[in-house]
Amino acid sequence: MISIHEYTATPKDKAEYEQGKARLMAAYKFMKACEDAGLTQRELAAAAGVPQRTVARVELADNTSLDTLDKLATT
């Protein structure tokens, strides 16, 4: 099993690790905010004018444009 220290041995690997960690934390916070607001993916998507699969991608920490994130955050 590879440890975090081995995986982040080079500056490039460490940067990729940190970016992935930040994406996962943002996705978690996004899901928590939706849950706290009582919104389903479908409801949020309809209110923001985006497909439901876009909300699912955000929750999976997939790459999403800043424009889409802005739509979802301001809905």
Side-chain angles (χ1 to χ4, degrees):
M1 187 161 130
I2 295 177
S3 73
I4 295 295
H5 297 292
E6 291 174 302
Y7 184 72
T8 59
T10 69
K12 181 182 178 216
D13 290 342
K14 185 171 179 138
E16 288 176 2
Y17 171 80
E18 292 299 329
Q19 287 175 347
K21 184 172 140 182
R23 280 195 308 272
L24 287 173
M25 288 304 298
Y28 171 78
K29 289 178 182 180
F30 177 81
M31 286 189 311
K32 184 72 173 133
C34 289
E35 182 181 295
D36 290 348
L39 291 171
T40 65
Q41 287 182 353
R42 184 168 287 147
E43 291 167 336
L44 178 58
V50 299
Q52 180 269 329
R53 69 181 175 275
T54 298
V55 177
R57 282 195 345 254
V58 172
E59 290 185 357
L60 293 171
D62 200 3
N63 287 335
T64 306
S65 73
L66 290 177
D67 183 52
T68 300
L69 290 174
D70 184 54
K71 283 180 188 176
L72 295 170
T74 58
T75 298

